[in-house]
Amino acid sequence: MNDAKQTIFSAIRSGLDKNGSTSATRAQLVRARLSAPPPHLVPAGGRRTGAARMAQFVRMATEASVTFSEAASPAAVPETVADYLRTQGLGPRFVMASDPALTAMPWSAAGLFPRQDRAREEDMTAVTAAVAGVAETGGLVLASGPLHPYTLNFLPFHHLVVLPAHRVVGAWEDAVDLLARERGSAFPPRAMVMAIGPSRSADIGYALQLGAHGPGRLHCILVEETRG
């Protein structure tokens, strides 16, 4: 180490030691902070509750070009999906996550034929479940796993995301905490993303293109279910 660097580091150490701390105590403080990190400072937009939180989530997501439908219960989700497919001129077949909450829904009664699999290049529509919706940004939190192949989030042009209303949280940190509590030792997942609207790019000729590197349509189905 040259003399200039040694002088700088010596001055830093001297300043730290004036506060009555030592290398050992500083290391102990760092370990304590890492083992029990303090909560982040969350802006007011991430601290709303109740109806105000839901209204902000819908507003922020809509501004990001997310479209919405509502389902009165999980059993009503297939008919809601069928309505979307009809309005978009899409057929009754699509690829879907193997999440038990989705597979238990009455798809055949709605005249639909989901395939539980990873997405293929020819798939136009995917249906998945979200970990959470984030009111602060209008984002949908999507996590990978054995039941949720990550290709479902990116390959099909139409991505329909089923979101129980009670899973709309205030901030990103709340969504991460929710997932950590539910997955325990399996947290974090291999991949997790917050999708804020459909994929878009204006890199070529400054013309906005939807679906450039992900879905061109992101549709959220809010499920008004009652918890346990």
Side-chain angles (χ1 to χ4, degrees), residues 11-100:
I12 293 172
R13 292 190 188 97
S14 176
L16 290 172
D17 292 341
K18 286 179 182 178
N19 296 326
S21 62
T22 65
S23 295
T25 57
R26 290 195 297 272
Q28 184 178 3
L29 290 172
V30 170
R31 285 193 293 270
R33 184 181 179 91
L34 290 174
S35 63
H40 294 155
L41 178 64
V42 176
R47 290 187 273 111
R48 291 187 170 89
T49 60
R53 174 189 292 172
M54 178 61 73
Q56 177 172 311
F57 168 67
V58 172
R59 177 176 60 81
M60 296 291 286
T62 300
E63 289 178 0
S65 301
V66 177
T67 55
F68 280 91
S69 295
E70 293 185 6
S73 68
V77 168
E79 282 293 347
T80 306
V81 171
D83 288 342
Y84 176 90
L85 297 176
R86 283 192 292 268
T87 61
Q88 298 298 317
L90 299 168
R93 300 183 184 276
F94 54 90
V95 63
M96 185 177 76
S98 301
D99 188 320

Side-chain angles (χ1 to χ4, degrees), residues 71-150:
S73 68
V77 168
E79 282 293 347
T80 306
V81 171
D83 288 342
Y84 176 90
L85 297 176
R86 283 192 292 268
T87 61
Q88 298 298 317
L90 299 168
R93 300 183 184 276
F94 54 90
V95 63
M96 185 177 76
S98 301
D99 188 320
L102 296 178
T103 59
M105 294 174 180
W107 298 101
S108 60
L112 301 178
F113 306 96
R115 185 185 89 252
Q116 298 168 40
D117 195 4
R118 67 187 62 188
R120 301 170 186 162
E121 186 176 355
E122 63 270 20
D123 287 315
M124 282 295 294
T125 307
V127 175
T128 69
V131 171
V134 179
E136 183 181 1
T137 61
L140 289 162
V141 180
L142 310 168
S144 66
L147 305 180
H148 283 83
Y150 214 50

